[in-house]
Amino acid sequence: TQAAAKVVAKQDVVYGRVLGAGLVADIAYPEGKGPFPTIISVHGGRWVGGDKTNAGEGAINVSQWAGFGFFAMSIDYRLAGCSAPPACYQDLLCAIRWAHAHSGEYPIDPERIFLIGMSAGGHLV
């Protein structure tokens, strides 16, 4: 049997700022050189609820995906009740740009970035 990959996990990593407020994501990746294919998860919640850890709204378990060999990122985004559209979409674009910009700091393969979302998250993706 093969030993499970060791995973590095970080919570509330700031991937962007809006008027001084941080946009945060949970990230995880396998220990090792990489670069690893990257998956960015966008939760559902009708654009007005949910968060980056809510599996019921389609958010992925980043540590589980890191165990599969991915750099995994699950983002929070500005919700429609607080920010006018297209804020949530702009936040997703910011997360993608963050992944490209930090591919030297983290083991991200900028040529293999995949997006996943359920419900409202699927719409944003």
Side-chain angles (χ1 to χ4, degrees), residues 9-99:
K10 297 180 181 184
Q11 294 180 329
D12 298 328
V13 174
V14 176
Y15 70 86
R17 291 196 182 277
V18 177
L19 300 174
L23 300 171
V24 295
D26 291 347
I27 64 171
Y29 50 92
E31 283 187 345
K33 185 175 183 295
F36 302 108
T38 298
I39 186 165
I40 299 174
S41 170
V42 186
H43 68 81
R46 297 185 182 110
W47 305 279
V48 295
D51 66 54
K52 61 185 169 45
T53 63
N54 189 338
E57 295 290 349
I60 64 169
N61 177 325
V62 292
S63 292
Q64 179 184 28
W65 279 84
F68 297 149
F70 285 83
F71 179 97
M73 180 176 185
S74 184
I75 68 168
D76 273 345
Y77 54 85
R78 290 174 288 164
L79 301 173
C82 303
S83 298
C88 50
Y89 178 68
Q90 292 168 335
D91 296 349
L92 171 57
L93 295 178
C94 183
I96 296 166
R97 287 191 300 271
W98 182 92

